Amino acid sequence: MQNIQGIKFKLKTKEQWFCDVCSGVIETAKDGMLEWDSLISEEGMIDAKNFRIVHVRSIEGCKNNRSEEHLADGHLHWFTGPNGLNNLLSMYERYTFDPIEFNKIIRRIHVDFYEEGARLSQLAREDSYEIDPYDSGDINQDDLLWLIRKYGNENCILMILSPLSRQVLNKSTKVNLEGIFHGEAA
Ligand SMILES: [Zn+2]
């Protein structure tokens, strides 16, 4: 497996994730959940949407604004590894959902470096690089590694922020990064 040298902050590939609620690091799959909203559509199908990778609800400091209305979920470790990939793919048979949204979840769980690299792709688009121009989530390994090398250090705070938080944070914001990282520093 390729490695990323010289990056101050990195996740253990496919063992750690960023939480979509608190933006903190999910240290192991056992600390995480895959959640989604489950709704019955007019056609009687089960619609799933708002897929998110989050801390288990018992984790301190990760409880903000977490509605349980329409909540469906599964432990993140049910969805990791080869059996986990099977479980994810079988959801195509049981639910209707936006495949682009759901494929991003599959990639976050199963594609090396996707969790860190993909969230930097917006920065590359702002710099006029043609990486995933339509935000479909289709980013190859070379581009993921390039994104992490190019933007990973100077924007490491952006990597750990939720997409919403990143929208309101100016790219050039200077923030003391010490103390923010509670994952593994390289
Ligand atoms: Zn969290």
Side-chain angles (χ1 to χ4, degrees), residues 122-135:
Q122 176 63 31
L123 298 175
R125 285 195 290 273
E126 287 170 11
D127 286 345
S128 301
Y129 290 105
E130 286 269 325
I131 290 185
D132 191 17
Y134 305 110
D135 196 24

Side-chain angles (χ1 to χ4, degrees), residues 44-57:
M45 301 287 289
I46 302 175
D47 272 337
K49 61 181 180 181
N50 299 325
F51 286 96
R52 55 215 181 248
I53 294 172
V54 297
H55 282 114
V56 293
R57 285 170 185 250

Side-chain angles (χ1 to χ4, degrees), residues 63-78:
K63 292 174 181 162
N64 296 340
N65 303 320
R66 298 184 72 171
S67 166
E68 301 209 357
E69 200 178 354
H70 309 301
L71 175 68
D73 61 16
H75 290 280
L76 193 51
H77 64 87
W78 295 351

Side-chain angles (χ1 to χ4, degrees), residues 2 4 112-114 116-121 124 129-133 137-151:
Q2 298 190 71
I4 311 167
D112 291 356
F113 306 115
Y114 189 86
E116 290 158 287
R119 60 183 53 216
L120 297 166
S121 62
Y129 290 105
E130 286 269 325
I131 290 185
D132 191 17
D138 181 9
I139 311 175
N140 68 36
Q141 285 288 288
D142 286 345
D143 284 346
L144 287 169
L145 288 165
W146 179 84
L147 283 164
I148 293 167
R149 289 194 186 102
K150 181 165 179 64
Y151 296 105

Side-chain angles (χ1 to χ4, degrees), residues 4-99:
I4 311 167
Q5 303 293 338
I7 299 294
K8 291 188 198 118
F9 173 80
K10 60 182 170 55
L11 299 177
K12 290 181 183 169
T13 304
K14 293 190 290 193
E15 292 178 32
Q16 294 182 321
W17 291 269
F18 295 113
C19 173
D20 290 332
V21 168
C22 75
S23 303
V25 174
I26 299 168
E27 298 285 350
T28 74
K30 300 238 176 205
D31 290 338
M33 303 290 290
L34 177 61
E35 292 186 351
W36 61 94
D37 297 335
S38 186
L39 301 152
I40 306 292
S41 71
E42 287 174 9
E43 297 81 31
M45 301 287 289
I46 302 175
D47 272 337
K49 61 181 180 181
N50 299 325
F51 286 96
R52 55 215 181 248
I53 294 172
V54 297
H55 282 114
V56 293
R57 285 170 185 250
S58 57
I59 294 270
E60 203 63 35
C62 184
K63 292 174 181 162
N64 296 340
N65 303 320
R66 298 184 72 171
S67 166
E68 301 209 357
E69 200 178 354
H70 309 301
L71 175 68
D73 61 16
H75 290 280
L76 193 51
H77 64 87
W78 295 351
F79 302 109
T80 57
N83 283 328
L85 182 56
N86 263 339
N87 291 337
L88 285 165
L89 294 173
S90 72
M91 289 176 70
Y92 273 94
E93 296 148 27
R94 291 184 282 126
Y95 297 94
T96 56
F97 47 64
D98 173 6

